[in-house]
Each structure stands twice: as C-alpha cells, then as structure tokens.
Amino acid sequence: MQGRVYVLTGGLCGFVVIAVWFAYVPDLIAVGHIAETLDRLVLGVRWAALLQVPLALGIVAVAQQRFWSSRYADGSAPISGSSLDINRRYLTNTVEQTLLATVGTLALAVTAPPDYLSFVPALAMLFVLARICFWVGYLIHPYARAFGLVLTLAPTIAVYIYVLTDLANSLGA
C-alpha cells in the first residue's frame, strides 16, 4: 500500500509540473509564425532530434557498464535490480517513449496553429527533463520513477489527443 502512495504522489507532482511548465515555458520560446507545412516539418524534425538524447545516453550507459564488467561483457542478463538491470529497463522504456514522442512531435509541428508552435520545443525540452527524472528516480527506487513517467507520458498523450482530434475534424470537413 505504501508503494502506491509513493507512485500516486509522484504522479500527481508530475501533473503539477506539467501544468506549470506549459503555463510559462512556451511563452519564453520564440518560434515565429511558420505557415508552410515543410517549414513546420523541419521545425518538428529539429526538435525531435533532441528527443533522441535520453535514448543515446541510455545506450551509452548500458554499453559502458557492459564493457567494464567481466561478468556482463558477453551480453548476459544482469542481476535483477542491479544498476545494469535498471539501466536496461530505462532504455527499453525510453525506446517506447521516444518513438511515441517523436511521431507526436512531428504531427504536432504540422497541425498546431501558428501561435502554438512554441509548444513543439517546450515539449521536447520537457521530454528530456522527464526522462532524466524517470532514470534517476528508477535508480533511487522503482516507485520513484512515477514522477518521470507521468512527466514523459502525459504530454505525449495530450499531443496524440490533439492531433487525432484534428485529424478527425479534418475528415469530417
């Protein structure tokens, strides 16, 4: 039961940070008015590149742990709960999250109204921060990853809701 309280508390804190982040950060980012679809896609691709950083860091962390370990250099499975095991779990989850966030970022860049294009870089920056929080939290204790997970996943879900609603509206028009 105590674990659920930690997870719930971390998740709720994640929602608070998301609300504050999107209330202030997009206004601090100057993107300009971009009307052309290709230019919007370029914006999305450029910021989607940032989304790959936590993935690359995870790959490097696992690779260096394996390289310096006589026990795991052969690619064998790590002991459950070890730092290598946690890093591999982080990496697996980050692959999943990065795929969703990358597609969502590109779709948002193409569909967002011009005045809301600053949400694209704001989302990308939050994603990197969120993945770091997830990783550090996971290394501290598995329950502590909830904050970073909510911080990563909730904005991505919101983007998909927006983009798919926009798609549905365009099909009905």
Side-chain angles (χ1 to χ4, degrees):
M1 182 65 166
Q2 186 176 0
R4 288 189 184 125
V5 172
Y6 291 138
V7 170
L8 182 60
T9 302
L12 291 174
C13 289
F15 282 112
V16 170
V17 170
I18 290 166
V20 171
W21 183 271
F22 287 109
Y24 295 103
V25 173
D27 292 337
L28 302 174
I29 302 168
V31 173
H33 183 83
I34 304 173
E36 298 296 320
T37 302
L38 183 58
D39 294 333
R40 289 164 158 265
L41 192 54
V42 167
L43 173 76
V45 168
R46 291 178 69 193
W47 284 100
L50 181 63
L51 302 176
Q52 313 313 305
V53 170
L55 181 58
L57 292 174
I59 292 168
V60 168
V62 169
Q64 72 85 23
Q65 278 185 290
R66 286 199 178 279
F67 179 79
W68 293 109
S69 169
S70 58
R71 181 176 190 162
Y72 300 122
D74 63 354
S76 60
I79 297 169
S80 182
S82 67
S83 67
L84 177 58
D85 180 47
I86 300 299
N87 287 342
R88 286 182 60 216
R89 291 179 193 194
Y90 160 81
L91 188 54
T92 299
N93 185 262
T94 300
V95 168
E96 298 160 356
Q97 299 292 336
T98 302
L99 175 62
L100 288 173
T102 299
V103 172
T105 296
L106 296 174
L108 182 65
V110 172
T111 61
D115 291 343
Y116 291 94
L117 284 177
S118 61
F119 276 74
V120 172
L123 277 163
M125 290 184 277
L126 181 60
F127 181 85
V128 172
L129 175 66
R131 288 282 80 199
I132 292 167
C133 290
F134 177 82
W135 198 0
V136 170
Y138 211 156
L139 288 167
I140 292 170
H141 192 280
Y143 295 143
R145 74 189 195 278
F147 173 73
L149 182 65
V150 167
L151 213 56
T152 303
L153 187 57
T156 302
I157 290 170
V159 166
Y160 275 88
I161 290 170
Y162 172 79
V163 168
L164 292 175
T165 301
D166 183 71
L167 176 64
N169 289 338
S170 71
L171 292 175

